[in-house]
Amino acid sequence: MIIKLERITLQTRKHNEAIDITAKVDNVVRTSGVKNGLVNILTTHTSSGLLVTEGIPCLEEDILTHLSRLFPEDVDYHHRRYLDYDGRLGFNAEAHLKSVVGGISCTFPVENGEVVRGSRQAVYFMEYDGPLERTYLVQVLGD
Amino acid sequence: MIDFHTHPVLIREFVAKYPGYERAAREVFNIGNNFQPLETFLLQMDVAGIERAVLLPIACERARKDAVSSNEQVAELCTMTKRFIGFASVDPLENGAARELENAVRDLRLKGLKLDPALQEFRPNASNVFPIYETAAALKIPVLLHTGMSWAPQTALEIGKPLLLEEPIRQFPKLNFVLAHFGWPWVWEATALALKYPNVFLDMSCLYYDSPKEFYQSVFSKRIPTTVIERSLRDKLVFGSNYPRVEITNMVHALKSLPLTEGCLQKILKENAERLLGLTDAIQ
């Protein structure tokens, strides 16, 4: 059994942003040596997300827009208070809630050394609190 | 737009390069966010529409072992982009402080003096501090002092009272004093000083509870009527974010949520800072 874990960093450039990472994931799988198994993709941040949808700009925009409608900035959140472990106030509750609802990971089968997914499916890193340098994990398991 | 109050304490490139840099951020300044590449700082400015940012070091080695960014680090960052305006910090109680400040202005091309009495552990109205005010006045640079509450651990709240600065303000009428954080919670003390003395300015980098917009509504509407800002303080305020304790764009949005005229906003976000800094050069 092969288990390969890669930590990939990316620099986000906007406050809210959907970044297609499908090609990066495919590349990790191809170079992992795993022919048959699974690939898990996971963000390491609680104010970002990982999701799968059709890879077209209109949907990217719709997802970001409607997550923002679900969790607007100008409503009452308990998270708006001083966080002594951070030395600053927390006031990004909406980013955390988008992450919870949109999800933080996804899994695909690997067959013959390739990711198996639908023809319309793309993998997105979702920034809800940028711009920041971020890290996501790609772990490939199998034979 | 100019952000008059930022701290370069989370620059990833400096962690390995400068011993003590990480400890100062974590234990002295007290911030837990991840270190980020310099590019993130510039992108945060972009997203907020900020063209230039003032970088503030704190020379607190005597009181806290490590400086919270040094003059040399600030100068180094300023060589990387014209978007940064560097201030110097010296310890007024150290021998040679005046000479160090002169060198920082002449050799490192730093544009102002930053003092944090609570973190540096000195009383800003003590007579042995006056020589550094005198030097700053002679150099024709502004001095920005932390006033009000500090999030840094082990710092005395009482030393942040704005009225402690009245004597230096009176003694050095040609030295421009910028009182940081609007002196919160003593915002009326800070306001009174800015109303009374031509050489007193206030930066608006204050955020101590709720969200930036809620805090601004609370302080700049309910405690200090917005009309006071619009009518009486429009030439005496500069925008500051206190990044990275808060993302710059949140503070810009908070300021713009106040019912201020475009002319007043333009002064707070740009013109007053340009006047204080003597900026005439265009951004390359």
Side-chain angles (χ1 to χ4, degrees):
Chain A
M1 174 124 169
I2 300 168
I3 302 176
K4 184 178 179 186
L5 176 64
E6 277 215 21
R7 294 167 178 81
I8 299 177
T9 60
L10 79 168
Q11 176 73 54
T12 65
R13 312 189 80 78
K14 299 177 183 174
H15 189 51
N16 284 275
E17 190 174 9
I19 300 170
D20 189 336
I21 58 169
T22 311
K24 293 271 189 189
V25 174
D26 287 350
N27 190 52
V28 172
V29 170
R30 287 191 189 117
T31 58
S32 68
V34 171
K35 294 299 178 192
N36 293 288
L38 288 171
V39 57
N40 295 310
I41 308 107
L42 176 80
T43 176
T44 63
H45 310 279
T46 57
S47 58
S48 69
L50 222 301
L51 57 76
V52 177
T53 190
E54 187 168 354
I56 46 179
C58 55
L59 273 176
E60 294 170 5
E61 191 174 337
D62 281 341
I63 291 165
L64 291 171
T65 299
H66 289 276
L67 281 173
S68 292
R69 286 178 61 183
L70 267 179
F71 304 113
E73 291 181 13
D74 292 330
V75 295
D76 190 17
Y77 296 110
H78 280 95
H79 187 54
R80 292 176 175 174
R81 66 180 185 87
Y82 181 65
L83 308 171
D84 56 357
Y85 53 88
D86 267 345
R88 51 171 287 165
L89 274 82
F91 42 77
N92 59 347
E94 69 279 2
H96 291 294
L97 294 173
K98 289 173 186 176
S99 174
V100 168
V101 168
I104 61 163
S105 67
C106 62
T107 302
F108 289 98
V110 174
E111 184 181 57
N112 299 322
E114 297 286 337
V115 179
V116 182
R117 61 172 179 273
S119 62
R120 301 285 178 97
Q121 287 182 318
V123 184
Y124 281 92
F125 181 91
M126 304 298 292
E127 177 60 84
Y128 303 126
D129 196 23
L132 286 167
E133 186 187 82
R134 299 292 208 171
T135 302
Y136 62 93
L137 309 175
V138 181
Q139 187 175 48
V140 195
L141 305 93
D143 298 314
Chain B
M1 297 197 294
I2 296 172
D3 185 340
F4 213 90
H5 196 123
T6 72
H7 295 280
V9 294
L10 291 179
I11 307 295
R12 161 93 52 73
E13 291 87 337
F14 281 0
V15 174
K17 189 172 181 181
Y18 294 107
Y21 182 81
E22 183 171 7
R23 179 193 167 272
R26 297 293 188 232
E27 297 179 28
V28 182
F29 192 73
N30 183 34
I31 190 158
N33 288 50
N34 291 335
F35 289 94
Q36 288 281 323
L38 176 60
E39 186 180 11
T40 295
F41 195 143
L42 297 170
L43 286 166
Q44 291 278 348
M45 291 169 64
D46 290 343
V47 167
I50 293 293
E51 295 155 325
R52 307 186 78 174
V54 171
L55 305 182
L56 302 172
I58 307 169
C60 53
E61 294 96 323
R62 172 181 49 81
R64 315 285 167 186
K65 186 180 166 192
D66 291 305
V68 178
S69 308
S70 68
N71 296 342
E72 289 72 21
Q73 289 163 7
V74 165
E76 183 177 337
L77 291 167
C78 291
T79 64
M80 297 177 185
T81 169
K82 288 184 180 295
R83 298 181 68 185
F84 289 147
I85 301 157
F87 270 36
S89 185
V90 297
D91 184 342
L93 303 189
E94 289 283 355
N95 289 331
R99 177 68 58 84
E100 189 182 348
L101 180 60
E102 289 166 354
N103 291 345
V105 171
R106 187 186 60 227
D107 301 336
L108 301 178
R109 298 180 177 279
L110 300 179
K111 306 298 184 190
L113 170 64
K114 155 76 175 181
L115 297 174
D116 188 330
L119 204 51
Q120 294 178 289
E121 286 194 356
F122 69 86
R123 296 193 72 80
N125 56 351
S127 59
N128 57 354
V129 175
F130 279 40
I132 209 64
Y133 297 133
E134 192 173 354
T135 303
L139 290 166
K140 295 182 169 56
I141 57 170
V143 55
L144 182 147
L145 291 109
H146 180 104
T147 59
M149 180 173 146
S150 168
W151 291 118
Q154 307 297 321
T155 50
L157 196 54
E158 186 261 344
I159 290 181
K161 281 191 164 187
L163 273 184
L164 292 178
L165 288 166
E166 188 172 25
E167 192 53 32
I169 287 165
R170 294 176 64 209
Q171 288 278 329
F172 300 95
K174 292 189 175 173
L175 173 61
N176 286 325
F177 289 79
V178 182
L179 279 52
H181 313 301
F182 222 92
W184 190 93
W186 299 288
V187 291
W188 270 116
E189 277 190 24
T191 297
L193 289 168
L195 289 173
K196 180 175 172 65
Y197 296 105
N199 58 329
V200 174
F201 298 77
L202 309 178
D203 95 27
M204 300 179 78
S205 66
C206 57
L207 175 65
Y208 291 91
Y209 51 78
D210 296 341
S211 72
K213 275 187 188 175
E214 289 170 328
F215 187 86
Y216 265 42
Q217 291 291 335
S218 168
V219 173
F220 301 122
S221 174
K222 292 171 184 159
R223 289 191 65 189
I224 305 290
T226 313
T227 50
V228 173
I229 296 172
E230 176 71 38
R231 297 168 187 166
S232 301
L233 291 178
R234 52 167 34 208
D235 293 315
K236 307 300 288 292
L237 305 186
V238 289
F239 168 77
S241 68
N242 206 17
Y243 178 79
R245 288 213 196 271
V246 52
E247 285 70 32
I248 302 168
T249 192
N250 289 306
M251 297 300 275
V252 171
H253 287 153
L255 176 62
K256 289 185 174 178
S257 74
L258 297 174
L260 297 168
T261 60
E262 272 305 311
C264 183
L265 282 174
Q266 180 73 3
K267 285 174 179 287
I268 293 171
L269 283 163
K270 190 168 188 180
E271 293 170 6
N272 296 339
E274 287 179 334
R275 202 168 76 247
L276 271 168
L277 295 165
L279 290 180
T280 52
D281 55 318
I283 297 173
Q284 300 298 309

